[in-house]
Structures are given as structure tokens and as C-alpha cells.
Amino acid sequence: MLSLIHSCGLSGIDGFAVDVEVNMSHGMVYFEIVGLPDASVKESRERVRTALKNSGFFFPAERLIVNLAPADQKKEGPAFDLPIALGILCCMGSIGQSALEDMCVFGELSLNGGVRPVRGALPMVISAMQRGVRRFLVPAENAAELRCIEGAEIYPARTLLEAARHLTGRIPIEPIHPVPYRELIHERRFAEDFCHVKGQSKAKRALEIAAAGGHNVLLIGPPGSGKTLMARCMPTILPDMTFEEALEATRIHSVAGSVPPSGLLTERPFRSPHHTASHASLVGGGQNATPGEISKAHNGVLFLDELPEYQRNVLEALRQPMEDGFVTITRVNAQSTYPSRFVLVCSMNPCPCGNLGSRTKQCRCTPNEIRRYLNKVSGPLLDRIDMHIEVESIPAERLADTELSESSDAIRARVEAAREVQRARYGDTGIHCNAELNARTLSSVCKMTPSAQELLNASTERMKLSNRAYTRILKVARTICDLDGVERIGDEQIAEAVQYRTLDRKYWG
């Protein structure tokens, strides 16, 4: 007897259809899975056999062949346990084939018959819905990340027995009720707030511009000047994610197995990998080309503290994702493309001892040590960082001041207003913020007054800036205009944008 169960596999952050065909016939007792399965799929035989027995079902002493179609695409993970078990029950007549028509099933089985959650549930359901599937039987623990999907009947099963009883109609499972995205956005509660940052008005202004335009930032200053604190405050001034952004970010975290307990990511990610992080952990990789930190930071903030301490090859790997907004990982067994649009915030000391340029402490580094330290960060990478900000130490009497400065809520209100201007300007062009402007749209969007053009040309020539730095200044100036409510870029906006590149010459010139 032959049964067919519709399931889903995972390739990167996209799902693909998998038909689980189970054939039971007389002959030598045999149980084999074909269709290019990996080791975890082949191990399904013992999980399925034991789960069926411990759930009170009889395991047939027959010849069982399970085919995972299409046979030329590699199948990975334990998500096919549940459809294989249900396919066997269909062959035995315990479940009618009609109950599984137009239904997608996936889930891992434990030995006691429980249904365990799987990675990538959200992208698999989204991909199946694009193919016209509307009914799903999924692990109960994956229900949280699926409750935002409208137009689907999603039945969460806790055990194999519960799934079988639902399909026979004996004890139906109540489908989950979709929850509107706006209800999933909880009140923003952050441990950090810009009101606790003493002084540093210039740096806070720069971070406001960066948040408003999606620009990358480098903070340079002595130890204890507040670089890390301000970087951790960055998510508190970013605008709320749209539903589409939240879905895209959650798909990546679902594949990586790092979905929050609430299910859907409702706050922008903040990733801060340690400087000892490997190339694979930052960019992604491994045998199955899993996403790395830069993809997990998609639509959020990637913070690299102590930038020169990272391995050179790790830093150089950031260059292509920063330009393209995605990263393609190719391995022998897999190739996956993950979106990687993030705001990069970096911090570093000006020298190995950290006191170069300090007003209170004397630098004890030699010129060669300083040059060798700074050369750990390449010029091409610095070119891709829009804004370089010098952070100074705060005097002790200023730290004792109990008066709070401007809060993150007040700053975020201005950022939201600037982002709204950009959304109206770019519409459906695929550009989300000024930092994503390309060469085709840059000239039409960043129109300058004649005097501003002369100032920019003179500054570029005097500071010996690259063409990429030239365009970065234009993009930052465009964001300053959006914050100030100005349409045409003038001298004031260009002058402010240029000062965020002066460290190119001061430290690396």
C-alpha cells in the first residue's frame, strides 16, 4: 500500500516542497529511507519505530520504503519524522489518506512519541503558503513563531498520538489563532538609555544621524569614554520594525535556532560577537552553510567592540555584505544566501595603550606601535564606514552630575520622522534608507546648492578622500537634511557630514 504526505525542507531561509512517499509491501522485514537524506534523516528510522511503539501503535513487520521527493535535492534535519510516522499509519489503515490532503506536516519525534520543535518552521510555512498550501500540522513548540501568519490553519501537535487522533477526527486539535503584528509589539524596555550618557553631545548627534539614515559608525576614543555604552544605546533610538522586516529577521533566527520565546522578533536585533569570533561564526558557514552574526543582525545593529583585535580575514569578509546587503555562503554540501542589511557600529582605541590624544593621560606608545595597531583596520573597510567619531573622556565632576540628558524616546521621535520622509521619498524602489542609495539614484536625491558642491569638492581634494568616501558624505548630508527638514543640501549639511570623515586624515593620513 502507498501513502503520500506533503512536507517541507529547508534551503537557507527558503523552504521547498518535499513529498514523503511511504510504500508498505510483503517481503523481508525492511525499513529504508531514500531520496538523498543526510545522517539525521536516516536516523529517523529508529526514532519513528520507537515512537510508534511507545504511542501504542503496532509497527508492521513488512517491507517499508520511504522516498523523499524530489530525490535530487538533499534533505537535512529531523523534520521528516512526523510525516514518515503518519505515512506508515496511513499504509496500515489507521489514518485515512484523505485527512492529509492539502496538508503540510513536519516535526521531530522523541522516543516517547512526543513531537519536538524544528528549526526553520516559519520559512517553511511561508514557502508552503506561496505554493497554495493552507493547512499545517506542526510541533506545538513552534506555534509561537507562527501565530503572526494570517490565512493559514495551523494545528499544533504535542504528541504523535495527538496528531493521529486529530487526523482520524476523534479528538480534533484547535488551530492557533493569528495575532496582529501590532499586538505582538511589546512596550520597548531597554537596560540602556541615552539619558544616562554623560556629555558626548557630538557623539550622540552622530549616532542619531546614523540611526536616521542607516549609516555605519566608528567610535574612536580612550578606554572608559563611553563608546560601548553609546553603542548599546543604539537600538533604543532605531524605529520599530515593520511586519515584513520582523518576518525576514525571524526567518533567519528560525533557521539558526535562536527564535525568542515570544516567537516573532519584535525588536531590532543587536549582535555583539567577541573579537575572537571566527570567520564562520561572523559571516556564516559550517557544513550546512548556516547563518552567521552578520545575518542574525539583519535589520538591526552589529556591534564590533575593539575593532583592531578582530582577525584581519574576519574584518575583510564584512566588505561585500556591507555593500550588497546579503551574503552568499558556499560549501561542498550546500549553498545559501542570507540577507545582511545592518547598521555597523564599531569602537576602538586610538592606540594600543588607548591614551593617544587624551587630555588627562600621556600616551606611551611609539609611532611604529601606533601605526601597526591602526593598520589592522584596512583602508577599504574604513571607506565603507560612513561616520568616524572621536569620543573624549568625561571629567570626573561631569560624571557626578545627577542631571539626566535627552532620553532615547526623544531622539527616536526625530529618527522616526526622518525615516518617514525617506519612506515617502523612495516608495517601492527597494531602498529603505539613505545609506542604501545607489549610483543611479544618488544624483537625483542628493541635489546640492552650488556653494555646497564647491565645499564638498574642496574638502575631498584637501583630505584626499576616495570616491566612495565622497558618496558617503553625500548620503550622510542627505540624512542631516531629513532630520533638519531641509530639501536641498547646503553648506551647513556638507560641513557637518565632512567633519565625520576628518579622522581619516588624523589617524590614517
Side-chain angles (χ1 to χ4, degrees):
M1 184 175 179
L2 177 67
S3 66
L4 172 63
I5 312 294
H6 300 293
S7 188
C8 201
L10 201 62
S11 176
I13 60 170
D14 297 313
F16 62 91
V18 175
D19 289 335
V20 180
E21 301 172 326
V22 182
N23 186 75
M24 185 173 68
S25 60
H26 297 298
M28 183 186 305
V29 178
Y30 187 70
F31 187 6
E32 183 60 43
I33 299 175
V34 297
L36 209 58
D38 71 348
S40 61
V41 179
K42 290 182 178 180
E43 291 171 352
S44 293
R45 292 176 297 184
E46 298 307 319
R47 290 194 297 270
V48 169
R49 189 197 311 270
T50 308
L52 283 169
K53 291 181 178 179
N54 288 335
S55 297
F57 296 105
F58 172 75
F59 190 84
E62 304 283 353
R63 182 180 179 86
L64 287 172
I65 302 295
V66 177
N67 179 44
L68 305 179
D72 61 345
Q73 189 160 7
K74 190 173 183 62
K75 318 302 185 308
E76 301 171 348
F80 304 108
D81 290 4
L82 182 58
I84 291 174
L86 294 178
I88 294 173
L89 292 178
C90 280
C91 290
M92 295 168 57
S94 301
I95 298 175
Q97 178 70 57
S98 59
L100 287 156
E101 292 292 335
D102 301 323
M103 174 179 280
C104 181
V105 182
F106 56 84
E108 177 186 350
L109 290 177
S110 60
L111 297 184
N112 64 358
V115 180
R116 300 171 61 89
V118 298
R119 294 186 178 186
L122 181 62
M124 286 194 289
V125 169
I126 292 175
S127 299
M129 290 189 68
Q130 292 172 348
R131 300 191 301 270
V133 180
R134 291 294 179 268
R135 300 170 62 230
F136 299 88
L137 185 61
V138 305
E141 292 183 47
N142 285 126
E145 65 184 279
L146 304 176
R147 58 179 178 165
C148 61
I149 300 179
E150 297 183 357
E153 296 180 28
I154 300 175
Y155 301 95
R158 292 180 175 81
T159 64
L160 173 60
L161 182 59
E162 186 177 306
R165 287 174 174 173
H166 168 74
L167 294 172
T168 57
R170 293 173 58 189
I171 306 178
I173 298 174
E174 185 72 18
I176 64 175
H177 299 286
V179 180
Y181 175 64
R182 297 306 305 179
E183 294 184 14
L184 293 176
I185 300 181
H186 305 291
E187 183 182 353
R188 297 173 70 124
R189 295 178 180 176
F190 297 97
E192 293 82 13
D193 194 289
F194 269 110
C195 68
H196 300 126
V197 179
K198 308 294 184 181
Q200 306 296 3
S201 58
K202 179 183 175 181
K204 287 190 283 189
R205 165 68 174 173
L207 291 176
E208 178 182 339
I209 296 171
H215 303 290
N216 302 320
V217 180
L218 171 62
L219 301 171
I220 305 177
S225 55
K227 302 186 299 295
T228 301
L229 174 60
M230 286 188 287
R232 293 191 178 278
C233 288
M234 189 67 172
T236 68
I237 62 174
L238 289 172
D240 288 331
M241 284 195 293
T242 64
F243 178 58
E244 291 73 20
E245 289 177 327
L247 273 183
E248 199 171 29
T250 306
R251 288 172 70 178
I252 297 172
H253 284 257
S254 179
V255 171
S258 57
V259 175
S262 59
L264 191 72
L265 268 75
T266 55
E267 294 179 354
R268 295 189 179 273
F270 180 85
R271 308 297 299 187
S272 180
H274 193 260
H275 65 261
T276 57
S278 65
H279 180 281
S281 65
L282 191 69
V283 179
Q287 184 177 2
N288 299 325
T290 55
E293 291 294 327
I294 63 173
S295 297
K296 294 176 184 177
H298 179 61
N299 289 329
V301 176
L302 177 66
F303 176 46
L304 301 183
D305 199 7
E306 304 298 340
L307 186 66
E309 302 302 327
Y310 287 82
Q311 299 177 35
R312 183 67 175 256
N313 68 318
V314 172
L315 293 180
E316 295 306 301
L318 290 172
R319 288 159 56 178
Q320 181 261 336
M322 289 170 65
E323 287 289 323
D324 299 337
F326 64 88
V327 59
T328 299
I329 305 168
T330 303
R331 295 295 182 267
V332 174
N333 298 325
Q335 175 177 317
S336 301
T337 298
Y338 298 107
S340 303
R341 287 196 312 271
F342 52 83
V343 175
L344 177 65
V345 180
C346 307
S347 71
M348 62 178 289
N349 298 325
C351 66
C353 76
N355 297 324
L356 180 64
S358 174
R359 298 176 181 177
T360 58
K361 295 182 179 180
Q362 185 176 0
C363 177
R364 59 178 183 271
C365 305
T366 65
N368 285 338
E369 289 175 337
I370 296 173
R371 190 178 302 109
R372 189 161 48 247
Y373 178 76
L374 295 177
N375 284 340
K376 292 181 179 180
V377 184
S378 69
L381 179 61
L382 286 172
D383 251 0
R384 288 168 168 82
I385 300 178
D386 306 43
M387 308 170 69
H388 307 162
I389 316 302
E390 192 167 25
V391 182
E392 297 180 351
S393 296
I394 302 299
E397 60 270 15
R398 183 70 178 87
L399 292 175
D401 189 0
T402 57
E403 182 180 353
L404 298 178
S405 59
E406 189 176 30
S407 68
S408 293
D409 289 339
I411 300 174
R412 188 171 67 250
R414 296 193 295 269
V415 170
E416 288 274 14
R419 285 291 184 106
E420 187 58 39
V421 171
Q422 294 168 51
R423 282 191 286 266
R425 178 191 299 132
Y426 303 127
D428 297 328
T429 61
I431 298 175
H432 302 84
C433 56
N434 291 329
E436 298 176 14
L437 282 171
N438 51 42
R440 183 171 57 87
T441 56
L442 190 67
S443 58
S444 61
V445 171
C446 301
K447 294 181 178 179
M448 295 178 282
T449 62
S451 60
Q453 181 70 71
E454 292 177 6
L455 176 60
L456 179 56
N457 291 343
S459 300
T460 303
E461 180 68 24
R462 185 171 59 254
M463 299 169 61
K464 295 180 173 56
L465 299 177
S466 67
N467 292 340
R468 181 181 284 114
Y470 178 95
T471 59
R472 301 280 173 171
I473 291 174
L474 265 182
K475 295 175 184 180
V476 172
R478 177 69 267 170
T479 301
I480 296 172
C481 286
D482 293 340
L483 283 168
D484 296 343
V486 178
E487 180 60 31
R488 198 175 184 87
I489 300 175
D491 295 9
E492 183 180 346
Q493 289 78 30
I494 289 294
E496 183 176 1
V498 166
Q499 75 169 341
Y500 296 130
R501 303 293 306 196
T502 55
L503 294 182
D504 279 341
R505 185 176 184 182
K506 181 174 181 179
Y507 290 111
W508 286 274

